[in-house]
Amino acid sequence: MKSYNFMLPQPGKKEVLVKQNYIFEPCFDGTRVLLYKNDDKIILLNRKSKNISYKYPEFNSAWTNINADSAVLDGVIVVLDKDKKPSLNLLQQREILDTSRDILAKSKEIPATLFVFDALELFEADFTSTTLDRRKEKLREIIRENENFRVMPYIGNGREVWTEMQKLGVEGVIAKDIRSEYQDGKSWAWMKIENIKKANCFIVGYAGDKTFADSPVLTLILGFFSDKQVKYAGRTEIDLGFGKGFDDFLSKKLIARIKKEKLNRKETPFLPEEDIEKLKKIYAGKQIMWLMPSIVAQVKHFGFTENSELIKPVFMRLRDDKWGEDCVLEKKDFQ
């Protein structure tokens, strides 16, 4: 069984929703994985090629859902709320866990669902050069669905899927050319039409109470790469108390991550000098703690300013499946 890289979509516009020879799938907020099955063993690799199988014990028996001795499938892990809608808050509660006791308890309290949507390899035969419509047929043939292991639904009417995704308030729609092969990296054969503007940024620092004790509000300072240079992306606030998407447990986990990546006084912050001076003026009288740019946060936003900063970024979740180097925005993103 060989290893594979993810096929990734390019950004698309609503005009794509009426394309011929395309199918349209929901784009759920979740964690993308490649599932490797070998007999009764299941391995889940995220975008970092990190094995995250231990985080989702509910999929240990997923080999029984796949009627093939060996397989490599592409899919997305989501956590559904009581209304059967994908929930980023619930997903974050699963992703941030790292002890077997906590993981097992949460897997029973808020179990995840894996939606598979592509077959890269079956019975040790490489299917990546096969057309998408044929790969979809093979996927349907080998999958036995249950509540936590499903085949991603799709139809040929993009506008209908778009309308449903707007009602659900989820990420958007993926348009896929049924004649396309499975390719390594980004391809125009797949296009993502976003319902919500989102960006992945690395956290370069935070402002506020150094000990996190006096203020429940944590201000995260965000950055990204543009034209191979580090850029200041803006700042977003997180209420570390209850009722704001974080509970005490998640707050402690986030704070522990931040403390681990804190720079010492002799180390240079990962931002241009003009951005550092601007932030010092904004937070005059407060202390700014700088971090290694290794923690990735996903935010939703309302576009960009003339200075290429995010407008009103709102924290959504941490992205443990992303590297800081993945936080790249190009000039086209600001248009």
Side-chain angles (χ1 to χ4, degrees):
M1 184 180 296
K2 61 182 288 188
S3 60
Y4 297 87
N5 294 318
F6 288 93
M7 183 171 178
L8 303 171
Q10 294 280 9
K13 297 182 179 180
K14 290 183 182 179
E15 289 79 1
V16 175
L17 297 172
V18 296
K19 268 185 169 288
Q20 299 296 312
N21 297 314
Y22 272 71
I23 60 169
F24 302 90
E25 298 175 345
C27 183
F28 289 148
D29 296 304
T31 296
R32 185 91 175 269
V33 292
L34 287 180
L35 180 154
Y36 289 79
K37 180 203 173 180
N38 190 12
D39 293 328
D40 61 351
K41 299 293 190 299
I42 293 290
I43 295 176
L44 301 172
L45 300 184
N46 67 11
R47 289 275 300 277
K48 284 184 174 180
S49 296
K50 180 181 178 181
N51 187 344
I52 60 170
S53 308
Y54 73 99
K55 286 181 175 286
Y56 297 97
E58 57 265 53
F59 299 133
N60 288 344
S61 61
W63 62 273
T64 62
N65 298 95
I66 305 169
N67 188 24
D69 293 334
S70 65
V72 181
L73 308 179
D74 195 350
V76 60
I77 295 173
V78 302
V79 180
L80 304 177
D81 63 18
K82 61 181 180 180
D83 297 319
K84 302 301 181 182
K85 296 180 181 180
S87 168
L88 275 179
N89 181 31
L90 295 179
L91 179 66
Q92 181 74 85
Q93 291 183 42
R94 294 297 307 275
E95 288 190 331
I96 206 166
L97 301 176
D98 51 20
T99 66
S100 56
R101 180 179 178 180
D102 292 335
I103 288 169
L104 183 59
K106 281 293 184 181
S107 71
K108 296 177 180 179
E109 179 185 341
I110 46 172
T113 299
L114 176 56
F115 285 90
V116 292
F117 50 75
D118 216 325
L120 286 64
E121 183 179 311
L122 296 173
F123 301 102
E124 299 185 352
D126 187 339
F127 274 76
T128 56
S129 59
T130 307
T131 57
L132 175 62
D133 54 351
R134 180 59 179 152
R135 299 199 307 273
K136 289 287 191 183
E137 290 176 9
K138 298 300 293 185
L139 190 64
R140 278 289 180 189
E141 290 174 7
I142 63 151
I143 296 299
R144 303 187 187 100
E145 292 185 287
N146 61 24
E147 187 175 357
N148 297 108
F149 196 93
R150 305 182 191 178
V151 176
M152 183 71 78
Y154 64 90
I155 59 175
N157 188 327
R159 287 176 173 170
E160 183 177 331
V161 181
W162 175 257
T163 299
E164 288 301 312
M165 294 307 99
Q166 285 187 305
K167 290 178 181 178
L168 287 175
V170 298
E171 187 170 353
V173 174
I174 299 289
K176 297 180 178 180
D177 189 334
I178 61 174
R179 302 158 296 184
S180 62
E181 300 178 355
Y182 193 96
Q183 303 167 32
D184 182 351
K186 287 192 174 184
S187 169
W188 287 105
W190 290 10
M191 286 178 279
K192 179 164 69 172
I193 303 94
E194 292 186 329
N195 182 34
I196 302 170
K197 291 183 179 180
K198 297 191 301 183
N200 293 314
C201 303
F202 45 76
I203 302 173
V204 292
Y206 67 94
D209 177 29
K210 185 177 181 180
T211 64
F212 305 97
D214 295 336
S215 174
V217 177
L218 180 66
T219 300
L220 302 178
I221 299 170
L222 308 173
F224 56 76
F225 289 105
S226 181
D227 297 328
K228 298 182 179 180
Q229 293 184 330
V230 177
K231 300 286 188 180
Y232 169 61
R235 57 194 189 276
T236 186
E237 292 185 345
I238 299 177
D239 192 319
L240 298 176
F242 287 98
K244 299 293 183 179
F246 269 77
D247 59 24
D248 277 352
F249 178 79
L250 292 177
S251 297
K252 290 176 182 177
K253 288 288 184 180
L254 175 59
I255 290 170
R257 289 280 302 278
I258 287 174
K259 287 181 176 179
K260 184 179 178 182
E261 303 300 334
K262 191 182 298 184
L263 298 177
N264 62 46
R265 292 183 179 180
K266 295 181 180 180
E267 293 178 300
T268 304
F270 288 83
L271 278 181
E273 186 63 33
E274 60 268 25
D275 290 330
I276 295 173
E277 292 304 316
K278 178 170 65 175
L279 288 165
K280 286 181 178 178
K281 291 179 181 179
I282 293 174
Y283 294 104
K286 294 184 179 180
Q287 189 169 8
I288 299 176
M289 276 59 71
W290 301 106
L291 309 176
M292 289 287 293
S294 58
I295 305 174
V296 177
Q298 185 178 75
V299 297
K300 60 182 178 180
H301 61 91
F302 296 87
F304 296 88
T305 68
E306 293 181 355
N307 296 325
S308 301
E309 295 175 17
L310 295 171
I311 298 174
K312 297 181 180 179
V314 178
F315 179 86
M316 297 181 73
R317 62 163 168 157
L318 296 179
R319 293 298 303 260
D320 289 334
D321 58 334
K322 297 276 189 178
W323 299 101
E325 293 85 347
D326 294 328
C327 302
V328 179
L329 293 178
E330 305 295 349
K331 289 182 178 179
K332 61 180 176 61
D333 296 305
F334 308 133
Q335 297 172 355

